[in-house]
Amino acid sequence: QVQLVESGGGLVQAGGSLRLSCAASGSVLSIYAMGWYRQPPGKQRELVAAITSNGGTTYADSVKGRFTISRDNAQNTVYLQMNSLKPEDTAVYYCNIDVRKRWYERSRLYWGQGTQVTVSS
């Protein structure tokens, strides 16, 4: 079993900051790409940011320059630092991690439970 535990969501005023964390635990042999997605009310889930095992990053255009994704490989944790938050950033944020459990198995994607981020104007 692999568990992803997210934390750090909440209510913040526009212009404020939040830091999300997502830690993987359980049967983790290797972790590859890690990412954050979000799902605004009434909309589809979308990619916010992703980071490869080598540290390469990609961001949605809407968050470039405001959000920073990072990872701590020793702690199997991915972070999302969100600055200059806007009301349109309001959404449920989900982490997504590519985990390999055993050497003889292929990796697969796991999702966190989601954490609510609400930005008031």
Side-chain angles (χ1 to χ4, degrees), residues 7 18-23 34-36 49-51 59 67-82 95 97:
S7 62
L18 285 174
R19 188 191 194 208
L20 305 182
S21 300
C22 175
M34 309 173 89
W36 288 94
I51 185 167
Y59 295 92
F67 291 11
T68 302
I69 189 171
S70 61
R71 62 191 288 166
D72 182 337
N73 293 329
Q75 299 296 323
N76 292 338
T77 300
V78 61
Y79 303 96
L80 185 68
Q81 178 66 44
M82 305 184 293
C95 62
I97 299 180

Side-chain angles (χ1 to χ4, degrees), residues 37-40 44-46 48 62-63 67 89 91-93:
Y37 288 71
R38 68 186 181 187
Q39 187 164 16
Q44 291 187 332
R45 194 173 297 188
E46 61 183 10
V48 176
S62 59
V63 306
F67 291 11
D89 294 318
V92 179
Y93 284 70

Side-chain angles (χ1 to χ4, degrees), residues 44-66:
Q44 291 187 332
R45 194 173 297 188
E46 61 183 10
L47 175 67
V48 176
I51 185 167
T52 68
S53 56
N54 294 327
T57 59
T58 185
Y59 295 92
D61 288 342
S62 59
V63 306
K64 282 181 181 177
R66 301 187 298 121

